[in-house]
């Protein structure tokens, strides 16, 4: 074995987005592409002698090859040890858990999350810091600056490591520990939730269906739901991770999890349904013939959190991303705890969690989590719901309907216009920004504008500032329209339009969502000229 220094030149466009660097697989397969980025991560970290790195991914196409390359580069950079998931597999929440449990310096997650996989699909890489969470922008920007100036990388010429069995190996002086992908994570879940009560619920005939979407959460759900909690074999469907996710889009929403939606809409539907995404950090929760929006899910979990052993002491605060509905804010107010509003991106929750300001966090993009790790967590959300159902004896629909009756309902929908021309999307946003100054007080038919702005965030812990995080038009009754461009796509631009209407009156709590939001949808089109700019009369995906 020896370490080689390889000459390279900067490759443009390696700036991490909302959650790491995501590109087409073919882009990552270019000579030096992955190596340049990984060396830039290591150069940002500096001396790593004596340090431990965690490494794993969601098993998508190119995962295995990338793991071997990163192991050889970590050895050349002088890491003492790498903990790598068996088969190169670790869900994003499991990486966060393992970093924290083993006191690692950080971790590398190989995933493009909910984006499609396979040779023609997407790949991604993200660095997580010592607290287990995604690197903040100060770190991702430093990595990016290194990619712009890189001239060489260092890599061992060692042979591939066998990742199939747990055990230890060496590359140069570095130890490679192949760890069970599930064990540490499952142990943490047992501390947080009442497994006995859930086991009893299931033994009593309660039926559930978890859709692994042929992505990384299948093995976690199998081990915990079927293995430890006694759900009958077959309760976890699409459980085997595949390199192309079986050709599906591993995005747990009513559009992409169509098989699960059909199962939950049938007359003999199970009591509870759930799905997770490519890397296991998102969740979708369903009752029998009943969908729970992610924003409502966060609010319901917060309102009942003390029923779960890990949260018995109560919540310190609740944080949500700005476009997420304000349902959780009402719970925070009732509990007398602070509510935080952050830009989109789980990395913005890290400081709040580290500082003990927030316990629960959530996003409209099917992400929910807590201070148990520093990532959102799909299986955790499922177990939290099961714990609530076991403790209350109520159905999913009952819990949500009672929540609306108490707090009012925040009707909510996101309209995505995917793959639109980037220039047109930027022009649309620029033209919206120009209008903001004159919008306050405007009568828009059903609504009067209270204020309109471009969301800025000042982190209450470290004072860092993030600007231009989404255009919001807020009505006098709290209803809102938010516009922003996605930071996770790999083709053109994706315009996201977030629509929210607050309804206090229980007589109006059971309207079809798109109907309830109809007037706001019209206003969004009028104000932004979406059809003119994008050439699209309708969104690509409505969730
Ligand atoms: C990532 C981020 C989330 C964000 C989501 C969508 O999730 O971690 O915070 O809400 O992307 O972001 P955007 O609207 O910019 O596409 P994931 O699950 O893709 O890692």
């Amino acid at each position: 074995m020896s370490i080689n220094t390889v000459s390279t030149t900067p490759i443009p466009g390696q700036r991490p987005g909302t959650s790491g660097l995501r590109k087409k697989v073919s882009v990552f397969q270019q000579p030096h592409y992955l190596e340049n980025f990984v060396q830039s991560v290591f150069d940002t970290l500096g001396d790593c002698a004596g340090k431990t790195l965690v490494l794993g991914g969601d098993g998508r196409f190119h995962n295995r090859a990338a793991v071997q390359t990163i192991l050889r580069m970590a050895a050349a950079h002088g890491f003492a040890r790498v903990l790598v998931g068996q088969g190169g597999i670790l869900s994003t929440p499991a990486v966060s858990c393992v970093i924290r449990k083993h006191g690692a310096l950080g971790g590398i997650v190989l995933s493009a999350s909910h984006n499609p996989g396979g040779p023609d699909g997407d790949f991604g890489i993200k660095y997580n810091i010592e607290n287990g969470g995604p690197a903040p922008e100060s770190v991702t920007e430093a990595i990016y600056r290194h990619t712009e100036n890189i001239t060489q990388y260092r890599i061992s010429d060692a042979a591939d490591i066998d990742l199939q069995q747990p055990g230890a190996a060496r590359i140069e002086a570095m130890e490679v520990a192949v760890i069970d992908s599930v064990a540490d994570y499952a142990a943490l879940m047992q501390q947080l939730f009442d497994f006995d009560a859930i086991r009893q619920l299931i033994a009593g005939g309660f039926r559930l269906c978890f859709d692994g979407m042929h992505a990384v959460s299948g093995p976690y759900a199998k081990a915990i739901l079927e293995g430890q909690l006694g759900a009958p074999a077959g309760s976890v469907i699409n459980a085997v991770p595949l390199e192309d996710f079986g050709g599906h889009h591993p995005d747990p929403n009513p559009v992409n999890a169509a098989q699960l939606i059909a199962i939950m809409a049938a007359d003999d539907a199970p009591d509870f349904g759930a799905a997770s995404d490519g890397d296991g950090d998102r969740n979708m929760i369903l009752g029998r013939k009943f969908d729970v929006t992610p924003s409502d899910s966060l609010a319901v979990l917060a309102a009942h959190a003390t029923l779960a052993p890990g949260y018995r002491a109560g919540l310190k605060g609740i944080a949500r991303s700005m476009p997420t509905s304000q349902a959780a804010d009402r719970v925070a107010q009732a509990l007398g705890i602070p509510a935080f509003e952050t830009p989109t991106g789980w990395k913005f929750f890290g400081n709040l969690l580290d500082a003990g300001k927030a316990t629960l966090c959530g996003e409209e993009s099917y992400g929910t989590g807590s201070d148990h790790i520093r990532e959102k967590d799909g299986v955790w959300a499922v177990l939290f719901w099961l714990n609530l159902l076991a403790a209350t004896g109520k159905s999913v629909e009952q819990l949500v309907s009672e929540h609306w009756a108490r707090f009012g309902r925040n009707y909510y929908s996101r309209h995505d216009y995917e793959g639109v021309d980037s220039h047109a999307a930027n022009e649309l946003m620029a033209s919206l920004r120009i209008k903001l100054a004159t919008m306050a007080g405007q009568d828009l038919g059903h609504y009067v504008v209270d204020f309109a702005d471009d969301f800025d965030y000042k982190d209450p812990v470290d004072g860092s500032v993030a600007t231009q995080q989404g255009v919001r038009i807020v009505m006098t009754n709290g209803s809102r329209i938010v516009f922003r461009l996605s930071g996770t796509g790999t083709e053109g631009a994706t315009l996201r339009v977030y629509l929210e209407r607050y309804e206090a009156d229980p007589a109006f709590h059971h309207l079809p969502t798109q109907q309830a939001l109809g007037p706001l949808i019209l206003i969004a089109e009028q104000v932004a000229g979406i059809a003119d700019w994008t050439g699209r009369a309708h969104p690509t995906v409505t969730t």
Side-chain angles (χ1 to χ4, degrees):
M1 280 192 269
S2 62
I3 293 171
N4 297 322
T5 299
V6 180
S7 294
T8 186
T9 51
I11 302 174
Q14 292 200 320
R15 174 180 258 141
T18 307
S19 188
L21 182 67
R22 291 183 189 169
K23 302 281 178 194
K24 291 275 163 218
V25 167
S26 53
V27 173
F28 269 97
Q29 286 174 325
Q30 292 174 82
H32 310 314
Y33 193 90
L34 176 71
E35 291 86 346
N36 275 15
F37 189 80
V38 172
Q39 187 64 53
S40 299
V41 171
F42 291 164
D43 287 344
T44 304
L45 300 178
D47 183 6
C48 293
K51 304 287 187 194
T52 297
L53 181 75
V54 178
L55 175 61
D58 63 13
R60 68 178 58 226
F61 185 81
H62 203 49
N63 192 81
R64 284 164 193 270
V67 164
Q68 298 290 353
T69 299
I70 295 168
L71 285 173
R72 283 192 273 268
M73 291 185 70
H77 192 65
F79 276 96
R81 192 168 64 132
V82 174
L83 304 176
V84 57
Q86 193 176 348
I89 298 267
L90 280 174
S91 73
T92 292
V95 170
S96 188
C97 164
V98 173
I99 291 172
R100 294 168 68 80
K101 181 164 177 175
H102 296 274
L105 175 67
I108 290 179
V109 187
L110 300 172
S111 172
S113 186
H114 54 293
N115 295 9
D120 300 324
D122 293 348
F123 192 73
I125 178 167
K126 181 173 82 160
Y127 182 69
N128 281 24
I129 58 174
E130 207 165 2
N131 72 356
E137 290 203 330
S138 54
V139 176
T140 55
E141 280 301 299
I143 294 169
Y144 176 58
R145 282 195 297 278
H146 277 288
T147 68
E148 288 185 298
N149 297 302
I150 192 163
T151 57
Q152 59 181 43
Y153 61 84
R154 284 160 56 75
I155 187 163
S156 165
D157 64 3
D160 280 2
I161 294 284
D162 177 7
L163 300 174
Q164 287 320 109
Q165 297 304 324
R170 283 202 172 271
I171 300 180
E172 310 292 341
M174 183 183 83
E175 180 193 344
V176 180
V178 180
I179 60 169
D180 181 312
S181 307
V182 179
D184 286 333
Y185 177 81
L188 179 58
M189 293 303 112
Q190 284 176 32
Q191 289 167 23
L192 298 175
F193 300 114
D194 189 343
F195 271 39
D196 286 338
I198 302 173
R199 220 176 273 126
Q200 260 182 19
L201 178 76
I202 291 172
F206 177 95
R207 292 187 303 132
L208 65 90
C209 179
F210 180 97
D211 187 349
M213 303 191 86
H214 286 306
V216 80
S217 59
Y220 294 84
K222 271 247 167 218
I224 297 172
L225 299 177
E226 293 185 9
Q228 299 182 351
L229 294 171
S235 300
V236 180
I237 61 171
N238 302 322
V240 179
L242 298 177
E243 286 197 329
D244 66 349
F245 308 119
H248 296 298
H249 198 136
D251 195 358
N253 61 42
V255 179
N256 291 310
Q259 184 189 356
L260 177 68
I261 294 287
I263 290 171
M264 296 307 295
D267 287 337
D268 63 345
D271 302 281
F272 178 81
S276 189
D277 69 330
D279 59 332
D281 58 359
R282 297 185 177 206
N283 73 92
M284 176 174 68
I285 302 295
L286 303 165
R288 190 180 279 165
K289 301 187 180 190
F290 188 83
D291 305 358
V292 185
T293 69
S295 300
D296 279 346
S297 177
L298 172 66
V300 171
L301 294 183
H304 297 277
T306 53
L307 294 175
Y311 304 92
R312 217 145 255 162
L315 306 179
K316 295 170 185 147
I318 308 170
R320 63 166 174 84
S321 66
M322 181 274 283
T324 302
S325 100
Q326 299 158 97
D329 301 11
R330 297 178 185 277
V331 178
Q333 198 182 15
L335 294 173
I337 56 174
F340 298 93
E341 186 176 44
T342 63
T344 295
W346 204 262
K347 59 194 170 197
F348 291 103
F349 294 135
N351 279 346
L352 297 173
L353 295 169
D354 283 351
K357 289 180 177 292
T359 307
L360 290 193
C361 309
E363 292 188 290
E364 49 67 38
S365 54
Y366 293 84
T368 332
S370 87
D371 59 0
H372 68 293
I373 54 171
R374 294 295 180 272
E375 287 280 5
K376 55 190 188 272
D377 190 342
V379 171
W380 167 92
V382 169
L383 293 170
F384 209 147
W385 267 94
L386 290 174
N387 197 144
L388 299 194
L389 296 170
T392 59
K394 293 179 178 166
S395 71
V396 172
E397 181 169 2
Q398 252 178 313
L399 277 178
V400 176
S401 299
E402 288 176 13
H403 188 92
W404 292 339
R406 177 170 172 207
F407 294 98
R409 177 170 182 186
N410 291 71
Y411 280 100
Y412 190 82
S413 181
R414 187 176 97 186
H415 291 194
D416 291 340
Y417 298 79
E418 295 178 333
V420 302
D421 177 70
S422 296
H423 179 71
N426 285 321
E427 289 290 307
L428 180 153
M429 292 302 292
S431 79
L432 262 176
R433 288 190 176 104
I434 291 168
K435 294 181 187 162
L436 292 177
T438 56
M439 288 206 74
Q442 266 186 39
D443 187 335
L444 297 174
H446 287 71
Y447 297 95
V448 175
V449 178
D450 181 13
F451 69 91
D453 67 0
D454 197 348
F455 181 64
D456 286 347
Y457 180 66
K458 184 167 182 200
D459 185 299
V461 179
D462 66 14
S464 58
V465 170
T467 58
Q468 298 210 321
Q469 297 296 316
V471 165
R472 51 182 183 174
I473 301 172
V474 182
M475 312 302 174
T476 46
N477 68 353
S479 298
R480 302 188 301 167
I481 307 170
V482 175
F483 301 86
R484 61 178 282 282
L485 300 183
S486 160
T488 56
T490 57
E491 268 178 329
T494 295
L495 170 69
R496 302 207 195 283
V497 183
Y498 310 83
L499 303 138
E500 176 181 4
R501 162 185 162 189
Y502 179 66
E503 181 55 66
D505 185 347
F508 297 103
H509 281 173
H510 294 276
L511 303 173
T513 299
Q514 299 305 317
Q515 180 187 321
L517 295 170
L520 285 171
I521 294 169
L522 280 179
I523 293 171
E525 173 57 43
Q526 279 161 15
V527 172
I530 300 168
D532 284 349
W533 284 111
T534 65
R536 306 277 176 81
H538 304 286
T540 337
V541 179
T542 297
T543 53

